[in-house]
């Protein structure tokens, strides 16, 4: 899952966002106006015939064939996400079947050799190491790039940001209570591992999209504050657009499914994300206030002189 800032100077109005995310002709995107505007594109599908990553020493890499599903999510008109996923079906067939068989099962890939589910979860969360294994991050980034064609995109964002990545993997277990493990490693990429029953999988996807969005918000605001302290930078040039673009965005429970609220609360108890966001916003606003007061004092001094 990839998160970033829409490549434009102003947020897309809701109607323009709905038009932009109609990625399938004749299929309207889902959308919400309250409490935060959000538009979700219909799923689009991509054919796959590749290997899956496995941990070192786990044996051969399973080959999978089928389709991945991906969608774009636009929040508040300017935070864009490319969300891609695939369901891996093990022990289905031992040989490659005609493509019509796989095309009929959208969002599913079938392994044509043996694989251990635990190895597949671990291997995927380690991140793709070469171009021969499944990399859903590239799929999500491609879906995001489709919005570059929208006429309202002026390619002049006023805030410099980096894209964020989140990898998630689920071991589907009937009767299991959702229980996630969230890791942030030195590469800055979030990794989420969970066991959950199949019926809660759509809600868990939404949980990961919300987590990815808010982790990106926190990183983007913190990076803007750090850049404002660098020599040669105009601090207000970093802080003003950061507050304008991001300052009002924090609301993790806005679209959080009811079934996932317990997961989010446990994450808050451990990582204190909301506290860190409020602390960072306070630091940014305090610095803006100090810069404003300094500018006023300098202007008054010039008048007196």
């Amino acid at each position: 899952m990839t998160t970033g800032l829409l490549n434009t100077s102003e947020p897309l109005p809701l109607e323009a966002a709905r038009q932009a995310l109609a990625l399938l002709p004749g299929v309207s995107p889902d959308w919400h106006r309250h409490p935060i505007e959000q538009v979700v594109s219909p799923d689009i599908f991509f054919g796959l015939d590749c290997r899956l990553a496995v941990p070192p020493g786990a044996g051969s890499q399973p080959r999978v064939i089928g389709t991945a599903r991906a969608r774009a999510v636009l929040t508040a008109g300017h935070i864009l996400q490319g969300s891609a996923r695939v369901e891996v079906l093990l022990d289905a067939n031992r040989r490659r079947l005609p493509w019509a068989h796989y095309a009929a099962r959208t969002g599913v890939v079938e392994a044509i050799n043996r694989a251990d589910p635990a190895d597949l979860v671990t291997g995927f969360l380690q991140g793709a190491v070469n171009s021969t294994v499944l990399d859903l991050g590239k799929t999500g980034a491609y879906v995001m790039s489709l919005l570059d064609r929208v006429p309202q995109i002026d390619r002049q964002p006023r805030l410099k940001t980096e894209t964020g990545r989140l990898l998630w993997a689920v071991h589907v277990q009937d009767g299991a209570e959702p229980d996630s493990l969230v890791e942030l490693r030195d590469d800055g990429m979030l990794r989420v591992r969970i066991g959950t029953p199949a019926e809660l999988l759509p809600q868990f996807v939404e949980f990961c999209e919300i987590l990815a969005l808010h982790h990106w918000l926190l990183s983007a605001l913190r990076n803007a504050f750090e850049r404002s302290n660098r020599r040669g930078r105009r601090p207000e040039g970093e802080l003003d657009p950061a507050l304008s673009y991001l300052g009002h965005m924090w609301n993790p429970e806005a679209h959080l499914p009811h079934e996932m609220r317990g997961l989010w609360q446990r994450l808050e108890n451990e990582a204190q994300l909301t506290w860190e966001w409020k602390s960072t916003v306070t630091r940014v606003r305090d610095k803006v206030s100090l810069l404003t007061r300094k500018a006023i004092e300098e202007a008054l001094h010039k008048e007196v002189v």
Side-chain angles (χ1 to χ4, degrees):
M1 186 175 304
T2 306
T3 305
L5 191 67
L6 190 65
N7 191 23
T8 192
S9 57
E10 298 295 336
L12 285 187
L14 179 59
E15 185 55 37
R18 290 172 59 187
Q19 294 175 11
L21 271 75
L23 300 182
L24 283 180
V27 183
S28 299
D30 292 330
W31 59 280
H32 309 274
R33 188 183 296 274
H34 302 290
I36 297 176
E37 287 186 2
Q38 187 175 76
V39 183
V40 182
S41 78
D43 287 343
I44 55 180
F45 299 93
F46 301 86
L48 295 174
D49 185 343
C50 62
R51 298 282 180 178
L52 297 181
V54 294
S60 61
Q61 293 178 317
R63 179 188 175 190
V64 292
I65 306 168
T67 60
R69 69 175 69 231
R71 66 186 185 183
V73 181
L74 186 63
T75 304
H78 61 183
I79 309 299
L80 180 61
Q81 294 178 282
S83 178
R85 64 187 177 98
V86 66
E87 178 181 343
V88 180
L89 188 61
L90 302 179
D91 301 322
N93 293 284
R94 294 300 179 195
R95 59 186 179 84
R96 196 187 195 286
L97 299 176
W99 177 248
H101 167 81
Y102 303 106
R105 310 185 69 178
T106 53
V108 176
V109 294
E110 297 183 5
I112 59 175
N113 49 347
R114 290 190 177 277
D116 184 331
D119 286 342
L120 298 185
V121 168
T122 300
F124 179 76
L125 292 178
Q126 288 178 343
V129 295
N130 58 61
S131 59
T132 66
V133 299
L134 177 66
D135 184 356
L136 292 175
K138 292 181 179 178
T139 305
Y142 172 76
V143 172
M144 293 171 68
S145 73
L146 297 177
L147 270 73
D148 287 339
R149 308 170 186 174
V150 177
Q152 294 92 332
I153 300 298
D154 59 25
R155 295 178 176 80
Q156 296 180 351
R158 295 184 291 119
L159 178 65
K160 181 180 179 181
T161 63
E162 299 177 356
T163 56
R165 288 283 307 278
L166 180 147
L167 296 178
W168 60 266
V170 173
H171 186 188
V172 175
Q173 298 171 306
D174 292 337
E177 287 294 325
D179 188 17
S180 66
L181 174 64
V182 180
E183 296 179 294
L184 178 61
R185 301 183 188 173
D186 292 341
D187 58 6
M189 189 184 302
L190 273 178
R191 291 164 169 84
V192 184
R193 181 194 307 255
I194 191 173
T196 188
E199 60 267 22
L200 290 182
L201 186 56
Q203 293 89 330
F204 178 68
V205 173
E206 293 182 53
F207 168 83
C208 287
E209 290 170 348
I210 290 167
L211 174 57
L213 169 65
H214 287 80
H215 179 258
W216 180 88
L217 284 171
L218 181 56
S219 298
L221 187 62
R222 190 167 52 223
N223 290 342
F225 182 81
E226 292 173 355
R227 288 196 304 272
S228 73
N229 293 320
R230 295 175 186 171
R231 181 174 298 179
R233 296 269 187 173
R234 291 179 58 253
E236 60 274 17
E238 299 287 348
L239 300 179
D240 290 351
L243 284 177
S244 175
Y245 276 64
L246 311 177
H248 62 293
M249 288 288 297
W250 192 270
N251 191 353
E253 296 189 2
H255 305 296
L256 186 67
H258 176 76
E259 298 88 346
M260 296 293 116
R261 292 182 183 270
L263 286 184
W264 183 267
Q265 190 56 56
R266 287 201 291 273
L267 180 62
E268 282 281 18
N269 292 341
E270 296 172 2
Q272 303 262 328
L273 295 178
T274 297
W275 178 89
E276 188 174 358
W277 170 259
K278 291 178 179 179
S279 175
T280 305
V281 169
T282 298
R283 294 179 72 191
V284 171
R285 288 179 174 158
D286 285 348
K287 186 162 186 176
V288 169
S289 297
L290 290 172
L291 291 170
T292 302
R293 187 177 71 180
K294 182 179 179 181
I296 293 173
E297 290 174 349
E298 289 177 350
L300 291 174
H301 178 72
K302 289 180 181 178
E303 290 181 4
V304 171
V305 174

